[in-house]
Amino acid sequence: MLKIKKGMIGGVLGLSVLCSWLTGCAQDSALDTMTLDKISVDKISVQQETEVALIPMAHFFNEQAVSGLKSSKDGQWLAFFKEYQGSNNIYLMRAGASLETAFHVTQSKDPIREFHWSIQENELFFLKDSEGNENTQLYQLIFSDGKAEAPSVMPQVAIKALTKNDQARYDFIGQVKDKPDTLVVMSNQDNAARSDLYHLNVNTQTISPVFINNLGLGAVEVNGQGLPVVGVGANPNNTATLYIQSGGDWQALITTKFGEQIDLYGLDEKTGFAYIGANIDGRDKLQLIRVALDTGKLTTLHHDPLNESDVYDVTFNEHGVPVAVSYYGGRLRTYSLNKSFAHHWDKINGHFNRDVEISIHSLDEKTGLWQLNVGSDVDLGSDYRYNANTEKVSVLLKIKPAIAPELLSQRQSITYQARDGVTIQAYLTLPKGKAQQLPTIILPHGGPWARDYWRLSSGYFHPVAQLLANRGYAVLQPNFRASTGFGKQFLNLGNKHWGTGGMQNDLTDGVQFLIDAGIADKQRVGIMGGSYGGYAALAGITFTPDLYQASVSYVGPSSLITLLESFPERYRPFLARFYNAVGDPLIEGDREDMLARSPIEFVERIKTPLLLVQGANDPRVTQQESDNIAKVMFKQSLPVEYILAKDEGHGFSKRANKLAYVVAMEQFFAKHLGGRADRYETSSISAHLETLKVDVSRL
């Protein structure tokens, strides 16, 4: 069973996260959420103690951190991501050995984006782009067996580029089980505006077309021969269609109404069932639905008992049958779909006596071995193995945190009411021992069709939130309307509400509730975000110019018109969602509305110091978005600083750039909001930061 990963093509403005999404938790109850509606400070959990010492900035971005660990098919090897010379690379070690025996088997200056174990021994495949351009290329890595060698002996490694067209993007879909030398890939190599399906021979690098994607499929399930069987296509009118293969032709089985959604989760080829998440036929939340491919019959298998959230994740066994389903409101809840899983899930949860979330990375019923990752809001997590035969949990790879969890702040799920009565779920991180009259940072997520989660490892800015809390700030991360996971009604409340409407009001109202609760000092409020969050930061200082005293826009668009006009061609099939939510610049009425929501048109209103952060190779939010607003602000003698990395794209991924940005951000907020700052950063970081600074007078 091979499939396009959920979110592979969508999420046009979403920043990449640093770890896998979670698929389980150690609590089946709704924990969770405190309401911040005219609350008093004592209802927020505060650990009263003296002010903690400053934690060195680099510790929040530990270069020894391990992520994305995967076991080989035979269980003999472990591969994972760790930084090597400033970029994410692949490390390899023998199962059961100590972390000190791991070797870097790639040494790329550009971060490795993803890797996959082959079904053949001692082989894996990985993808990386060039300086953030997002045109990922596919590589094969083969290493020597080394069974007779000591764990400390590095295996011999051979790397081969399987694709070499840097003007196209390649995505790994899977490996054909019966023909392991054949990979299934998706690429826009033959049509820049369309991603087609291909078979790639790893021996000859020959790539052969399998399916011309005129249906605009953004998700597809492939059978054992690597041929597409079922897929979901995006339509120009913001609807979606579920297609099935029948007699060699594609047939439309379900077409949603405007604003509805279908997610493709899996395929059970033997029984002829596909599994989808859908909010069709009067449903508001995505429910788990089984589709009979021969008759088209739909059967609802599960929906959120609390009616709180969409289906978040589904766990399948090796036959393609779902065994568990998860939902995520303020915290993750997992429900069993059969007695066997329920029994083992209870055993796993019983092993951990602390507040954690558990992700299931793999579940092999033949061997009885499960791979788990366990972490929390103050712990990036470690990998464990559960043996269903012995019902024992053991450490697969225990990672010592760079920062002791007790030094970090609790990340609390709260809710508050927006001005129109809509309930907003958010995460609040407070400095230890303090909860009154604090300098405060509002940190909206990117996307905007994304959301924030509780766990420390679940988002690009979550370590930043902890750093800011250590520096004395209250940090609020709202899941404002248009965030995913809370149902289609909440999602579609964001349509045409960018900048001056409900989406921005949700952030403004979050500030006001913190002020009313006595937590935020209204004279020391800042806003920072990436991608859509960067746009929200710019909107905040143009449309509510008296609210914020400092703003950081990280790869944020300043004009909605140039944003939509500059999208790469491969995004064209999926822009209907943007046209409905933001506007179509070719329609006069929409264009006028987009101008009215574009911060670049209202620079004269800005009173707030602004720090711009941009990657020169960003294909989604291009450099002109930051250049343009910096030039106008300079001409109007407004306070603006600008950091530009010439070797980055949509967000900084290289260590030197990331640390330099964080230093600049920390110093910027300390200057304008009065929080603490680490004055003892290394000279090399400061020197590198100087190379990234832009002289805005020369733009």
Side-chain angles (χ1 to χ4, degrees), residues 5-316:
K5 300 192 303 264
K6 181 180 177 182
M8 179 179 290
I9 297 175
V12 175
L13 284 181
L15 287 170
S16 300
V17 294
L18 302 178
C19 69
S20 301
W21 294 123
L22 311 174
T23 58
C25 70
Q27 299 82 20
D28 269 356
S29 61
L31 299 173
D32 348 339
T33 305
M34 292 176 293
T35 300
L36 187 59
D37 185 358
K38 299 180 180 179
I39 62 171
S40 59
V41 173
D42 60 5
K43 292 186 180 179
I44 297 291
S45 176
V46 180
Q47 300 171 359
Q48 295 295 337
E49 56 184 61
T50 58
E51 188 171 62
V52 298
L54 280 176
I55 300 172
M57 180 271 294
H59 290 190
F60 290 92
F61 309 96
N62 179 22
E63 61 185 335
Q64 300 303 317
V66 168
S67 63
L69 184 142
K70 297 178 184 178
S71 175
S72 61
K73 300 298 181 183
D74 60 10
Q76 299 300 308
W77 295 90
L78 303 178
F80 51 83
F81 288 125
K82 191 163 79 74
E83 285 188 9
Y84 175 72
Q85 295 184 346
S87 291
N88 250 14
N89 273 275
I90 301 172
Y91 279 68
L92 190 67
M93 61 180 284
R94 292 169 177 82
S98 64
L99 183 60
E100 290 72 24
T101 67
F103 297 98
H104 62 86
V105 290
T106 64
Q107 45 188 340
S108 173
K109 66 181 181 65
D110 291 306
I112 308 297
R113 299 296 181 183
E114 61 181 87
F115 73 87
H116 305 270
W117 278 105
S118 170
I119 59 178
Q120 301 188 110
E121 292 185 0
N122 306 331
E123 178 183 59
L124 53 81
F125 305 100
F126 67 89
L127 294 103
K128 70 182 185 71
D129 66 4
S130 177
E131 298 188 335
N133 66 3
E134 299 190 5
N135 285 332
T136 48
Q137 305 296 307
L138 183 59
Y139 298 81
Q140 176 195 44
L141 187 152
I142 299 177
F143 60 93
S144 62
D145 185 26
K147 288 182 178 179
E149 299 171 359
S152 60
V153 177
M154 181 177 180
Q156 294 181 338
V157 175
I159 296 176
K160 180 170 61 177
L162 300 180
T163 61
K164 301 176 182 179
N165 181 356
D166 61 4
Q167 299 303 305
R169 175 188 174 103
Y170 295 87
D171 287 304
F172 178 90
I173 307 305
Q175 191 173 14
V176 179
K177 182 178 180 180
D178 298 332
K179 296 188 295 181
D181 290 334
T182 300
L183 306 183
V184 184
V185 300
M186 210 161 192
S187 177
N188 63 339
Q189 66 168 33
D190 293 328
N191 186 323
R194 188 187 68 220
S195 293
D196 299 326
L197 208 66
Y198 298 88
H199 282 175
L200 172 63
N201 186 292
V202 300
N203 299 317
T204 65
Q205 289 86 65
T206 303
I207 187 165
S208 306
V210 173
F211 167 61
I212 306 302
N213 190 12
N214 291 320
L215 300 178
L217 300 186
V220 64
E221 292 285 349
V222 186
N223 64 18
Q225 291 73 49
L227 301 176
V229 175
V230 57
V232 177
N235 303 317
N237 61 351
N238 201 30
T239 64
T241 299
L242 178 68
Y243 295 95
I244 60 172
Q245 270 277 14
S246 179
D249 296 321
W250 286 96
Q251 294 185 0
L253 185 61
I254 305 169
T255 295
T256 68
K257 296 179 181 178
F258 175 86
E260 293 179 338
Q261 181 180 349
I262 297 177
D263 285 348
L264 186 55
Y265 294 147
L267 170 69
D268 183 348
E269 188 178 357
K270 182 177 179 180
T271 61
F273 289 128
Y275 296 92
I276 65 173
N279 52 20
I280 59 176
D281 298 333
R283 300 171 174 87
D284 178 58
K285 311 294 192 298
L286 290 177
Q287 300 181 2
L288 176 60
I289 298 173
R290 186 180 65 198
V291 182
L293 298 182
D294 55 350
T295 65
K297 181 181 178 181
L298 306 181
T299 303
T300 300
L301 299 183
H302 207 273
H303 57 85
D304 186 0
L306 303 182
N307 194 32
E308 183 182 42
S309 71
D310 296 327
V311 169
Y312 170 71
D313 201 8
V314 182
T315 301
F316 291 88

Side-chain angles (χ1 to χ4, degrees), residues 429-607:
T429 307
L430 297 176
K432 278 183 167 293
K434 294 186 175 182
Q436 294 184 354
Q437 295 301 305
L438 299 171
T440 299
I441 307 295
I442 306 302
L443 187 52
H445 61 71
W449 303 297
R451 59 157 294 173
D452 280 316
Y453 300 90
W454 175 74
R455 196 171 156 178
L456 178 61
S457 61
S458 63
Y460 188 93
F461 282 109
H462 296 1
V464 175
Q466 286 286 353
L467 181 147
L468 290 169
N470 178 256
R471 274 40 174 173
Y473 300 94
V475 183
L476 184 70
Q477 295 173 266
N479 280 319
F480 47 86
R481 68 193 71 197
S483 299
T484 54
F486 299 94
K488 67 183 179 188
Q489 180 180 4
F490 187 80
L491 182 77
N492 290 315
L493 283 175
N495 292 344
K496 303 295 175 69
H497 276 256
W498 290 42
T500 59
M503 293 170 70
Q504 196 71 27
N505 291 343
D506 291 344
L507 307 182
T508 303
D509 295 344
V511 175
Q512 190 59 51
F513 275 110
L514 290 185
I515 292 172
D516 291 345
I519 295 171
D521 178 352
K522 66 180 180 180
Q523 301 300 327
R524 295 189 295 163
V525 180
I527 184 169
M528 175 177 67
S531 198
Y532 173 83
Y535 164 81
L538 296 177
I541 62 174
T542 50
F543 302 125
T544 53
D546 297 317
L547 186 63
Y548 300 106
Q549 287 73 53
S551 176
V552 178
S553 176
Y554 183 94
V555 297
S558 59
S559 168
L560 296 181
I561 291 175
T562 55
L563 170 70
L564 263 67
E565 289 178 342
S566 64
F567 276 135
E569 287 189 71
R570 62 189 174 86
Y571 286 126
R572 297 298 171 187
F574 310 101
L575 288 183
R577 194 174 192 182
F578 271 94
Y579 294 146
N580 284 290
V582 185
D584 185 341
L586 297 180
I587 299 175
E588 183 177 355
D590 281 6
R591 191 177 186 90
E592 292 177 359
D593 183 61
M594 294 168 73
L595 285 171
R597 299 178 188 276
S598 295
I600 191 69
E601 302 296 322
F602 302 93
V603 172
E604 72 280 357
R605 298 182 182 179
I606 296 177
K607 304 176 182 179

